[in-house]
Amino acid sequence: MNDLESARDQFFKAGLVFPTLPPPLALALVSRARWCYSTRALPINPYAHQFYIEEACEERAPEYAIVAHGGHGTNSYALHHYLVHRKLSLFVKVAWGGDPRDQARATRIANQAIELADRLVVAAQMSPRLAEASDRLVVVASDCTPSLWRPPGGVWLSELPGVGGMFDTLAESTAWLERLD
């Protein structure tokens, strides 16, 4: 059973953009809990994003997509968009849903992050840079923790904090994919 339409509807009703997922993963999306959709069983709550990042970096991750909202307390809620597909490992974690006073701003930031992530996913699918890579491009984009990225076979780049760091990391890694040098 696929829950893609209900996930899209839930995000739309909250004013959020739903991330574009590669067709095989979009068709396998299942509701795991309230505001939590995934193509795989979840070994740990998506809020603990370091687990998923380490799993991908150690090449232990299957291909999957997770789109979820969760957290705890007043200001510790985030949207999560994790995608491990082909030669891309993408982890977007953006604060959303905690403090109702900043909800409109948080929604704008979350939507911009998802739109930049969508551009990255398209670039990854078309990039000759990843076609012959031995491992994955890893992109960690978050306004909750420093954002950074690592090209295949490379070192971690641009550890940047905050919203600007999240946007810059998504833009830098996309630009690297689109460059033909």
Side-chain angles (χ1 to χ4, degrees):
M1 180 177 168
N2 178 286
D3 291 320
L4 178 63
E5 289 309 315
S6 65
R8 284 182 176 154
D9 187 55
Q10 187 172 31
F11 274 63
F12 176 77
K13 286 178 180 174
L16 294 165
V17 173
F18 192 80
T20 303
L21 302 175
L25 295 175
L27 294 174
L29 203 64
V30 174
S31 176
R32 304 291 176 178
R34 185 174 181 272
W35 274 94
C36 183
Y37 301 89
S38 176
T39 61
R40 68 181 282 194
L42 300 177
I44 191 168
N45 187 305
Y47 195 82
H49 71 295
Q50 193 60 37
F51 170 87
Y52 294 95
I53 296 165
E54 289 173 8
E55 179 187 56
C57 289
E58 294 170 4
E59 299 287 331
R60 295 182 288 118
E63 288 199 352
Y64 69 89
I66 297 173
V67 182
H69 172 257
H72 53 84
T74 303
N75 288 326
S76 297
Y77 277 87
L79 287 174
H80 310 91
H81 167 36
Y82 303 160
L83 177 66
V84 176
H85 182 66
R86 297 184 181 157
K87 297 293 183 172
L88 174 65
S89 294
L90 171 65
F91 304 93
V92 178
K93 180 177 182 176
V94 59
W96 187 86
D99 187 351
R101 296 171 294 175
D102 290 337
Q103 195 63 23
R105 179 179 183 273
T107 299
R108 281 192 307 277
I109 291 168
N111 285 341
Q112 187 172 350
I114 294 303
E115 289 166 357
L116 289 168
D118 280 355
R119 184 173 162 217
L120 173 70
V121 171
V122 169
Q125 291 172 346
M126 297 173 45
S127 176
R129 287 181 175 254
L130 294 184
E132 299 189 19
S134 61
D135 61 351
R136 291 181 169 133
L137 166 65
V138 181
V139 179
V140 179
S142 176
D143 62 349
C144 307
T145 61
S147 298
L148 61 163
W149 66 284
R150 183 186 77 192
V155 297
W156 289 104
L157 302 169
S158 303
E159 189 168 336
L160 302 169
V163 173
M166 175 176 61
F167 293 158
D168 288 350
T169 296
L170 288 164
E172 284 177 18
S173 54
T174 301
W176 177 83
L177 285 167
E178 293 172 340
R179 224 176 20 249
L180 296 174
D181 54 320

